[in-house]
């Protein structure tokens, strides 16, 4: 495995989340989200919690809720205890067959 792989995996996660969960539908693309998130997961040997979380969000965007639940549960299992609250809240959404949406960015002060 290349030394840069973990860093590259981390850098792909925000892009995957934009495609999967952006508040503006114009930015969302579930197929792209899944492809980018899967790349991040592969580069991190399926051990990077944010990459698994992004893959779950991508699956939810594609209405593939069984896999969204599966990947979110994997992320929760690997996450430190102090990071699981937000992951669990997303899991509840997927169990309710709802995609995850990031909050819209706050307007920047002039």
């Amino acid at each position: 495995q290349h030394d840069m792989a973990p860093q590259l995996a981390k850098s792909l996660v925000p892009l995957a989340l934009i495609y999967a969960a952006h508040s503006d539908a114009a930015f969302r693309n579930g197929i792209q989200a899944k492809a980018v998130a899967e790349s991040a997961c592969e580069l991190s040997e399926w051990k990077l919690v944010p990459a698994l979380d992004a893959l779950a969000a991508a699956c939810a965007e594609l209405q593939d809720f069984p896999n969204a639940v599966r990947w979110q549960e994997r992320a929760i299992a690997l996450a430190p205890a102090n990071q699981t609250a937000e992951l669990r809240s997303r899991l509840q959404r997927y169990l309710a067959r709802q995609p995850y949406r990031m909050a819209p960015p706050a307007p920047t002060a002039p």
Side-chain angles (χ1 to χ4, degrees):
Q1 177 123 353
H2 197 274
D3 290 343
M4 290 296 294
Q7 200 51 50
L8 182 57
K10 285 184 185 129
S11 70
L12 290 173
V13 169
L15 179 61
L17 281 173
I18 288 169
Y19 282 137
H22 199 283
S23 56
D24 183 342
F27 288 92
R28 290 198 304 271
N29 180 326
I31 293 167
Q32 283 290 100
K34 189 173 179 191
V36 174
E38 282 179 339
S39 293
C41 287
E42 285 165 10
L43 285 163
S44 59
E45 298 177 342
W46 302 85
K47 292 179 190 140
L48 182 66
V49 170
L52 293 162
D53 179 44
L55 181 55
C59 290
E61 172 62 17
L62 291 167
Q63 303 287 306
D64 179 3
F65 292 103
N67 276 313
V69 167
R70 182 175 142 225
W71 294 120
Q72 198 66 15
E73 285 175 341
R74 175 91 53 97
I76 290 165
L78 290 172
N82 65 346
Q83 289 176 21
T84 58
E86 192 177 340
L87 297 170
R88 285 183 192 284
S89 76
R90 291 213 255 286
L91 177 62
Q92 292 309 310
R93 292 187 69 93
Y94 305 152
L95 287 166
R97 301 184 64 80
Q98 295 176 332
Y100 167 57
R101 293 290 172 258
M102 297 188 292
T108 49

